[in-house]
Amino acid sequence: MLKNTFMITMNIRKMNKLILVLSFIAVTSCSLSPGMYFKSDFQENKKEFVYLDDNKQTSIPVEPINLDLITKLSIGKPVPYKIGVGDGLVVTIWGLPETFPMNSINNETNTRIVNTDGTIFFPYVGEVNALGKTQVELRNILTDGLSVFFTDPQLDVSISKFNSQKIYILGEVTKPMKVFLTETPLSLTDALGESLGLKTETSAANEVFIIRSRDNGNPQVFKADMSSPAGYIVAGEFILKPEDVIYVNAKGTTRWNRVISQFFPFSTLLNSVNNLVED
């Protein structure tokens, strides 16, 4: 009799525990509104996509920015600045004061603006295609051209005005803007600093997106988590490229791509964002 009473008591305890577990699941399930979901390690690491149409026929994967990605794609490796249309160039020549006076080195009239066709004119050399050249490459071209008339010309090329390459910063930042790139590489952390940082009350710091063009027409989309100091450290290794668009999502907005996808294709996006930021 005592043994039967003990077994009944143990069964009741097990049943009570089962009821508590089922009750917890039922309560938490009811508390989730449509579209919401439990966060789990699996879901947080699940591949994200940007859908460019409502039918989800065209999608672009979202790559999380981390050290593995930076190493894999060499995103953090800086590349030499490529001269573009509108850049101002100054050519300094030593040892030929009668032909190229040194006192005009810093003179505004000595600055040559790259024409819309990518060329500049330089005495004794004529029209030179500067578009897409680095400073070293253009220096070598001018040196070869001047060598026809002068013995061992010594010259250097510097960029006095950076006007051709820029990135855009949009969304929940203190100051949406475009930033002109220079010969000094610009990281994601530096760019957000230029815009005076994220809006603390409205920005989703873990949803900072970078949209980057590719030759095939479809952009790359990267995502940075700036909600912790570690995120800023990693973002400091992510070097931006010309025409990158940084978009900081707002809190509580899950379909950020609805805002961005309306501007695609990418060329249309660049034309649009140029009117949304301050000079």
Side-chain angles (χ1 to χ4, degrees):
M1 182 68 179
L2 181 61
K3 181 178 180 180
N4 291 337
T5 302
F6 176 77
M7 293 299 296
I8 292 173
T9 302
M10 292 298 294
N11 289 334
I12 292 175
R13 288 180 179 177
K14 290 180 179 179
M15 183 63 68
N16 287 338
K17 288 182 179 180
L18 179 61
I19 292 173
L20 286 174
V21 171
L22 294 175
S23 298
F24 175 77
I25 294 175
V27 170
T28 53
S29 298
C30 293
S31 66
L32 295 176
S33 59
M36 296 179 66
Y37 56 88
F38 280 113
K39 285 188 175 182
S40 67
D41 289 338
F42 171 77
Q43 288 171 322
E44 288 181 350
N45 293 325
K46 188 177 179 180
K47 194 74 172 179
E48 294 184 75
F49 291 88
V50 177
Y51 296 102
L52 303 186
D53 54 64
D54 292 335
N55 295 325
K56 298 185 178 180
Q57 297 298 314
T58 306
S59 63
I60 298 173
V62 177
E63 299 288 344
I65 295 177
N66 50 45
L67 293 179
D68 288 339
L69 177 72
I70 291 173
T71 301
K72 173 185 172 183
L73 300 181
S74 298
I75 293 175
K77 183 178 179 180
V79 296
Y81 184 88
K82 299 294 183 66
I83 297 169
V85 173
D87 285 341
L89 307 177
V90 174
V91 180
T92 306
I93 300 177
W94 291 272
L96 299 171
E98 295 181 0
T99 308
F100 302 102
M102 294 292 290
N103 58 7
S104 65
I105 291 178
N106 297 319
N107 196 313
E108 185 72 18
T109 59
N110 194 42
T111 299
R112 287 167 170 79
I113 304 299
V114 180
N115 300 318
T116 55
D117 62 356
T119 65
I120 61 169
F121 177 84
F122 197 79
Y124 295 94
V125 182
E127 283 195 348
V128 177
N129 183 21
L131 184 64
K133 303 292 192 301
T134 65
Q135 293 168 253
V136 173
E137 290 171 339
L138 183 57
R139 181 184 66 194
N140 292 337
I141 293 173
L142 293 176
T143 299
D144 291 341
L146 290 176
S147 296
V148 176
F149 304 94
F150 306 95
T151 302
D152 193 24
Q154 301 294 308
L155 63 91
D156 197 11
V157 176
S158 60
I159 303 174
S160 60
K161 295 181 180 179
F162 295 89
N163 296 322
S164 66
Q165 302 178 27
K166 51 192 173 295
I167 58 99
Y168 303 89
I169 309 174
L170 303 173
E172 299 303 308
V173 291
T174 303
K175 185 181 179 182
M177 62 190 305
K178 58 184 174 184
V179 178
F180 287 95
L181 300 179
T182 69
E183 55 196 347
T184 302
L186 183 70
S187 71
L188 175 58
T189 298
D190 292 333
L192 292 175
E194 291 282 343
S195 66
L196 305 182
L198 310 185
K199 290 183 178 178
T200 55
E201 296 183 357
T202 59
S203 66
N206 63 332
E207 294 184 342
V208 177
F209 298 92
I210 298 89
I211 309 167
R212 173 171 295 173
S213 63
R214 287 192 295 187
D215 294 337
N216 62 8
N218 289 328
Q220 287 180 290
V221 180
F222 305 97
K223 179 181 177 182
D225 185 351
M226 310 296 286
S227 61
S228 68
Y232 279 88
I233 294 174
V234 174
E237 299 295 325
F238 188 95
I239 303 301
L240 298 169
K241 293 184 177 181
E243 309 304 333
D244 278 356
V245 177
I246 301 171
Y247 180 83
V248 180
N249 201 21
K251 288 181 180 178
T253 304
T254 57
R255 290 298 302 277
W256 73 276
N257 51 291
R258 287 181 177 175
V259 179
I260 293 297
S261 62
Q262 61 183 313
F263 296 122
F264 283 100
F266 194 78
S267 58
T268 305
L269 169 63
L270 294 180
N271 291 332
S272 301
V273 297
N274 194 49
N275 297 322
L276 296 176
V277 295
E278 300 176 2
D279 292 331

